[in-house]
Structures are given as structure tokens and as C-alpha cells.
Amino acid sequence: MTAPPNQQPPIDLLSGWPNPALLPAPDLLRSATTVLTTPSIAHPGLLYGPDEGYEPLRAHVAKWLGAFYQPCNPISSGRICITGGASQNLACVMAVFTDPVYTRGVWMVDPTYHLAGRIIDDAGFAGRVRGVPEDDEGIDLAFLKSGLRAAEEKALAKGNTEPKFKPHRPWRKIYKYIIYAVPTFANPSTKVMSLGHREDLVRLARKYDALLVTDDVYDFLQWSPTPGGKLAAPEHACLPRLVDVDRYLDGGPIDEWGHAVSNGSFSKLLGPGLRTGWAEASEKIAYGLSQVGSSRSGGAPSQLCSTIIDQLLPSGTLDNYIQTVLQPAYSERYYALQGAIQEYLVPLGATVASPETVTGGYFIWLTLPTPLLAVDIVQRAQQEENLRLAPGTLFEAGSPQPPSDRFAGCLRLCFAWEEPRHLTEGVRRLARVLKHALE
Ligand SMILES: Cc1ncc(COP(=O)(O)O)c(C=O)c1O
């Protein structure tokens, strides 16, 4: 006897988590064993670390990123600061490089990674976050430009010309604005910002003295959007990060600080429980990050994990894992979800983007047939089909209350957590929900 739909096993297309089968526990076990049985590694690993992070990992991350992004000049380890992951480091960026008054506000590409909002609120910017709409090339620059111009005029009229609460320190610069984006395989929309927009965005940041903070956490998870297709170079990034653009554009950075910081993370590559990532930026910014109060007191976060992860870089284990396990596994899941959407949801009037050359990340952003509302569908899916989904309203920058209707007809579907067959089954369940709702 089959279970009634609402008592079926749950299917979770909400959580942006890696499936446990994709966690490289055996590799980590080998690394941890080496670390803990080698006193010259175990002792520094178990003690307070340097503020900038475990030096061998900084050097190896610098080399590894250089091979993947191929920036105009090699990446020095001085450009790398080890972090507790992208979330933790966003908090550090806000703590070191913003002043709650002089920094006029935060712009977030909208829809945005929703959990970044709380971190920005914690830094004193609640109510001063503004969304910048995405366009086909990833960000509506005209909108941002006119917003920045207006904000600047207002700040100058108020005499807001120097930091109020953050005294001068040699390791920091206070920026006038923070602009937050996920330029490659964005969470939630999966969009990739074009190179032209990346360059114009860096120009804008320089003009308005804004710091671009990008969560570049999905860049390595890329594949052809066509089943059976192959990327020409899956071992290289599809586009330079904003931090790379800032190094070459118009003769290079306009001061020694630069205007971009890249937030990288091992969460989506090795496991979020490791709580380890890196920031890359100018050497001044990387050092400034390391001087955040909590690192001055405790040393860089995730010191022991840094020693363990470090074992996986020079040996090529991490690259091999990304190319032979993660890229094939995530692309399989992506094709399963896309295929099911085309088969079951598109005939009902749902739409999704069809990337042409490259795609990646963890998500597919789906627009429901009108007049359906995502909050209603999410509730019905849970009640009728034991299916978890994320409504588009969750991803509105600035969390307006009540939410506007910008993403009211959208759902974010994650393909990282469930097995491919459950992805197909999840979409079948969603199709039943949509049919009922459309009746
Ligand atoms: C855009 C984005 N930034 C940051 C994170 C969290 O990264 P971390 O685990 O390194 O804090 C996620 C995880 O979903 C994400 O999607």
C-alpha cells in the first residue's frame, strides 16, 4: 500500500547543503591522521595560529587560486587571509572596513543570499540595505549608479565626510559603501555576471569608494548546461572575479587598498562543518582582515582545520575531487532537476533560465505560472506532499516587511542535497501541487 502523499518520505529542495555522499571523509581522515601524527604540524595546528592564518595553507591557496583564475599577476600569499568561511568573513569585513555612520549603506544584488542580510544588520546597517535588481548581465548598473549618486549627494549635504565611530588605524580603510554580490552561479538566481558588467561595476566602486564583497563560493562547481556537453576548460574559472578585475582594469587598482574582496569557502568543496575559507584582496585588505579583534585575540579561525585542508592542496587531491567527483555529481543532479522541470513543470506554465555556455552552483530559480504565489505553493507542498521549498520572497534584499511582490512568483530549488531520483520525484510532487493550485 502506498503512503498518502503527505506521509511520503520528505524531499528537501530548500536546504543549500551538500549531500553527505559528497563529503570526502576518507580524504579528510587521511589528512587528519597525517596532521595529528606529525608533531611539526600537530603542534601549530592545535595552538593559536597567526592572525593571517596557517602560513602553508595561505601559500597553497594562493597557488591553487592562481591556477584556477589565472589572474594578470601571480597571487602572493600576502593577498590571502584564512577565514572561518564566507559568512564569518563577511562579518569581519563589515567590522573592519565599515563605520556605521560614514559608511552610507549596503547594496545587495537582488535577489540575494538571504543569510547575508543578518550579518549586515549585525554590523549596524539594518534599514540601510538596498537591493540592486539583476538584469540579463547580472546587475542593473544604471539603477546602482543613480542610487549611489543620490546617496552621495545626501551624505555630503549632511556633512558626512569622515568616520564617526571607527578611529583611524593603519590596517584599515573605511569605505563609503559596501556592494555585496555573488557574481558567478548566484544564490539564488544562478546568474553569471558578464565580464562587461564586472568591469563597469569595479569602475563604479572606485568612483564612489565602495568595497565590493563577493561570495565566490560556487565558482569551482561548473559544467556545461547541456547533458553530455563538456566545458572547454573545467579546471579554469569561467570569468575573472571582481577582485581579479580590480587588479588589471584601467591600469590597475587606484590605491593600495583596492575596491574588491573575494570571499572563498571550502564549505561547498569539502564540507561546511569545516568552517574554513579564505579571503583574497590587496595585501592591505588581507592584512586588515587579519587584524579584526577576534583574530588578534585568538589567531585566525579554523586553525586545526586549516592544517588538515592544507594536506589536500599540494597533493592535487582537492582538484581531483572537484573534477572527478563534484563536477560530475552536481551536473548529474542539475540535469536531473532541469529534465524533470522541463517534463513536468514547463507544460504547466513554469519557466526557468536556459544557460547557453556554462552553469553551476547549487540552485535553479523557477518562475511559477501566474497567478500562483510562492508562499502559498511552499505551504501546500509541505502539507500535501511533504516537500520543502524556498519561496522567492525569502531572497529579497533588505528583508522588507511585508515582502514586496518582486519574487512572489519564484521558487529556489536546490539540487545539491537530494539524490537525483529524489529530485525527479520532488518535481513530480511539485507538479501535483501546481495542478491543484491551478484548478
Ligand atoms: C552565496 C553564499 N555565501 C555564503 C554561504 C555560506 O558560506 P560559508 O559556509 O563559507 O559560511 C553560502 C552558503 O549557502 C552561499 O550560498
Side-chain angles (χ1 to χ4, degrees), residues 5-6 14 368 372-393 408 410-411 429-430 433-434 436-437:
N6 61 354
L14 180 150
L368 292 167
L372 300 187
L373 291 176
V375 277
D376 179 36
I377 296 302
V378 168
Q379 203 180 18
R380 283 171 176 247
Q382 181 67 65
Q383 279 166 2
E384 295 171 14
E385 297 281 352
N386 211 3
L387 172 67
R388 293 185 79 210
L389 302 165
T393 42
C410 300
L411 292 175
R429 292 186 192 180
L430 178 54
V433 174
L434 298 193
H436 284 167

Coordinates of all heavy atoms in Angstrom, one line a residue, residues 5-6 14 368 372-393 408 410-411 429-430 433-434 436-437:
P5 N 0.1 11.1 0.0 CA 1.2 12.0 -0.4 C 1.8 12.7 0.8 O 3.0 12.9 0.8 CB 0.5 12.9 -1.3 CG -0.7 12.2 -1.9 CD -1.1 11.2 -0.8
N6 N 1.0 13.2 1.8 CA 1.6 14.0 2.8 C 2.4 13.1 3.8 O 3.0 13.7 4.7 CB 0.6 14.9 3.5 CG -0.5 14.1 4.2 OD1 -0.6 12.9 4.0 ND2 -1.4 14.8 4.9
L14 N 15.0 22.7 -0.4 CA 15.2 24.0 0.2 C 16.7 24.2 0.7 O 17.3 25.1 0.4 CB 14.2 24.2 1.4 CG 14.3 25.5 2.2 CD1 13.0 25.8 2.8 CD2 15.3 25.5 3.3
L368 N 7.0 30.6 -11.3 CA 5.7 29.8 -11.3 C 4.8 30.4 -12.4 O 4.8 31.6 -12.7 CB 5.0 29.9 -10.0 CG 5.8 29.2 -8.8 CD1 5.2 29.7 -7.5 CD2 5.6 27.7 -8.9
L372 N 0.1 32.0 -9.6 CA 0.4 31.3 -8.4 C 1.4 32.1 -7.6 O 2.3 32.8 -8.1 CB 1.0 29.9 -8.7 CG 0.1 29.0 -9.5 CD1 0.7 27.6 -9.6 CD2 -1.3 28.9 -8.8
L373 N 1.3 32.0 -6.2 CA 2.2 32.7 -5.3 C 3.1 31.7 -4.6 O 2.6 30.7 -4.1 CB 1.4 33.5 -4.3 CG 0.6 34.7 -4.8 CD1 -0.2 35.3 -3.7 CD2 1.6 35.7 -5.4
A374 N 4.4 32.0 -4.5 CA 5.3 31.0 -4.0 C 5.0 30.7 -2.5 O 5.1 29.5 -2.1 CB 6.7 31.6 -4.1
V375 N 4.7 31.7 -1.7 CA 4.4 31.4 -0.3 C 3.3 30.3 -0.2 O 3.3 29.4 0.7 CB 4.1 32.6 0.6 CG1 5.3 33.3 1.0 CG2 3.1 33.5 -0.1
D376 N 2.3 30.5 -1.0 CA 1.2 29.5 -1.0 C 1.6 28.1 -1.5 O 1.3 27.1 -0.8 CB 0.1 30.1 -1.9 CG -1.1 29.3 -2.0 OD1 -1.5 28.7 -0.9 OD2 -1.7 29.1 -3.1
I377 N 2.4 28.1 -2.5 CA 2.9 26.8 -3.1 C 3.8 26.1 -2.1 O 3.7 24.9 -1.9 CB 3.6 27.1 -4.4 CG1 2.6 27.6 -5.5 CG2 4.3 25.8 -4.9 CD1 1.4 26.7 -5.7
V378 N 4.6 26.9 -1.4 CA 5.5 26.3 -0.4 C 4.7 25.6 0.7 O 5.0 24.5 1.1 CB 6.5 27.4 0.1 CG1 7.3 26.9 1.3 CG2 7.5 27.8 -1.0
Q379 N 3.7 26.3 1.1 CA 2.9 25.8 2.2 C 2.1 24.5 1.8 O 2.1 23.5 2.5 CB 1.9 26.9 2.7 CG 1.4 26.7 4.1 CD 0.4 27.8 4.4 OE1 -0.1 28.5 3.6 NE2 0.2 27.9 5.7
R380 N 1.5 24.6 0.6 CA 0.8 23.4 0.1 C 1.8 22.3 -0.1 O 1.4 21.1 0.1 CB 0.2 23.8 -1.3 CG -1.1 24.6 -1.2 CD -1.4 25.0 -2.6 NE -2.7 25.7 -2.7 CZ -3.8 25.3 -3.3 NH1 -3.8 24.1 -3.8 NH2 -4.9 26.0 -3.3
A381 N 2.9 22.5 -0.7 CA 3.9 21.5 -1.0 C 4.3 20.7 0.3 O 4.4 19.5 0.4 CB 5.1 22.0 -1.6
Q382 N 4.5 21.5 1.4 CA 4.8 20.9 2.7 C 3.6 20.1 3.2 O 3.8 18.9 3.6 CB 5.2 22.0 3.7 CG 5.6 21.5 5.0 CD 6.9 20.7 5.0 OE1 7.9 21.3 4.7 NE2 6.8 19.4 5.3
Q383 N 2.4 20.6 3.1 CA 1.3 20.0 3.7 C 0.8 18.8 2.9 O 0.5 17.7 3.4 CB 0.1 21.0 3.9 CG 0.3 21.8 5.1 CD -0.7 23.0 5.0 OE1 -1.5 23.2 4.1 NE2 -0.6 23.9 6.1
E384 N 0.8 19.0 1.6 CA 0.2 18.0 0.7 C 1.2 16.9 0.3 O 0.8 15.8 0.0 CB -0.4 18.6 -0.5 CG -1.6 19.6 -0.3 CD -2.0 20.4 -1.5 OE1 -1.6 20.0 -2.6 OE2 -2.7 21.4 -1.3
E385 N 2.5 17.3 0.2 CA 3.4 16.4 -0.5 C 4.7 16.1 0.3 O 5.6 15.5 -0.1 CB 3.8 16.9 -1.8 CG 2.7 17.0 -2.8 CD 2.3 15.7 -3.5 OE1 3.1 14.7 -3.3 OE2 1.3 15.6 -4.2
N386 N 4.8 16.7 1.5 CA 6.0 16.6 2.3 C 7.2 17.0 1.6 O 8.3 16.3 1.6 CB 6.1 15.1 2.9 CG 6.8 15.1 4.2 OD1 7.2 16.1 4.8 ND2 7.1 13.9 4.7
L387 N 7.1 18.1 0.9 CA 8.2 18.6 0.0 C 8.6 20.0 0.5 O 7.7 20.9 0.7 CB 7.6 18.7 -1.4 CG 8.5 19.4 -2.5 CD1 9.7 18.6 -2.8 CD2 7.7 19.6 -3.8
R388 N 9.9 20.2 0.8 CA 10.3 21.5 1.3 C 10.9 22.3 0.1 O 11.7 21.9 -0.6 CB 11.4 21.3 2.3 CG 11.0 20.7 3.6 CD 12.1 20.6 4.6 NE 12.3 21.9 5.3 CZ 13.5 22.4 5.7 NH1 14.6 21.6 5.5 NH2 13.6 23.5 6.3
L389 N 10.5 23.6 0.1 CA 10.9 24.5 -1.0 C 11.2 25.9 -0.4 O 10.7 26.2 0.7 CB 9.7 24.7 -2.0 CG 9.2 23.4 -2.7 CD1 7.8 23.8 -3.3 CD2 10.2 22.9 -3.7
A390 N 11.9 26.7 -1.1 CA 12.2 28.1 -0.7 C 11.5 29.1 -1.5 O 11.7 29.1 -2.8 CB 13.7 28.3 -0.7
P391 N 10.6 29.9 -0.9 CA 9.9 30.9 -1.7 C 10.8 32.1 -2.1 O 11.7 32.5 -1.4 CB 8.8 31.4 -0.8 CG 9.4 31.2 0.6 CD 10.3 30.0 0.5
G392 N 10.6 32.6 -3.3 CA 11.4 33.7 -3.8 C 11.5 34.9 -2.8 O 12.5 35.6 -2.7
T393 N 10.4 35.1 -2.1 CA 10.3 36.3 -1.1 C 11.4 36.3 -0.1 O 11.9 37.3 0.4 CB 9.0 36.3 -0.4 OG1 8.6 35.0 0.0 CG2 7.9 36.9 -1.3
A408 N 7.6 37.2 -5.7 CA 6.5 36.4 -5.1 C 6.1 35.2 -6.0 O 5.5 34.3 -5.5 CB 5.3 37.3 -5.0
C410 N 8.4 33.3 -7.5 CA 9.6 32.5 -7.8 C 9.8 31.5 -6.7 O 9.5 31.7 -5.5 CB 10.8 33.4 -7.9 SG 10.6 34.6 -9.2
L411 N 10.5 30.4 -7.1 CA 10.9 29.4 -6.1 C 12.4 29.1 -6.3 O 12.9 29.1 -7.5 CB 10.2 28.0 -6.3 CG 8.8 27.9 -6.0 CD1 8.3 26.5 -6.4 CD2 8.5 28.1 -4.5
R429 N 6.1 15.8 -7.4 CA 5.2 16.2 -6.4 C 4.9 17.7 -6.6 O 3.7 18.1 -6.4 CB 5.9 16.1 -5.0 CG 6.2 14.7 -4.6 CD 6.7 14.6 -3.2 NE 7.2 13.3 -2.8 CZ 7.8 13.0 -1.7 NH1 7.9 13.9 -0.7 NH2 8.2 11.7 -1.4
L430 N 5.8 18.5 -6.9 CA 5.6 19.9 -7.1 C 4.5 20.1 -8.3 O 3.6 21.0 -8.2 CB 6.9 20.7 -7.4 CG 6.8 22.2 -7.7 CD1 6.1 22.9 -6.6 CD2 8.2 22.8 -7.9
V433 N 1.2 19.7 -6.9 CA 0.8 20.8 -6.1 C 0.3 22.0 -7.1 O -0.7 22.6 -6.9 CB 1.9 21.3 -5.2 CG1 1.6 22.6 -4.5 CG2 2.3 20.2 -4.2
L434 N 1.1 22.2 -8.1 CA 0.7 23.3 -9.1 C -0.6 23.0 -9.7 O -1.4 23.9 -9.9 CB 1.8 23.5 -10.1 CG 3.2 23.9 -9.7 CD1 4.1 24.3 -10.8 CD2 3.2 25.0 -8.6
H436 N -3.1 21.2 -8.6 CA -4.2 21.5 -7.7 C -4.4 23.0 -7.5 O -5.6 23.5 -7.6 CB -3.9 21.0 -6.2 CG -4.0 19.5 -6.2 ND1 -3.5 18.8 -5.1 CD2 -4.6 18.6 -7.0 CE1 -3.8 17.5 -5.3 NE2 -4.4 17.4 -6.5
A437 N -3.3 23.7 -7.4 CA -3.5 25.2 -7.2 C -4.0 25.9 -8.4 O -4.7 26.9 -8.3 CB -2.1 25.8 -6.8

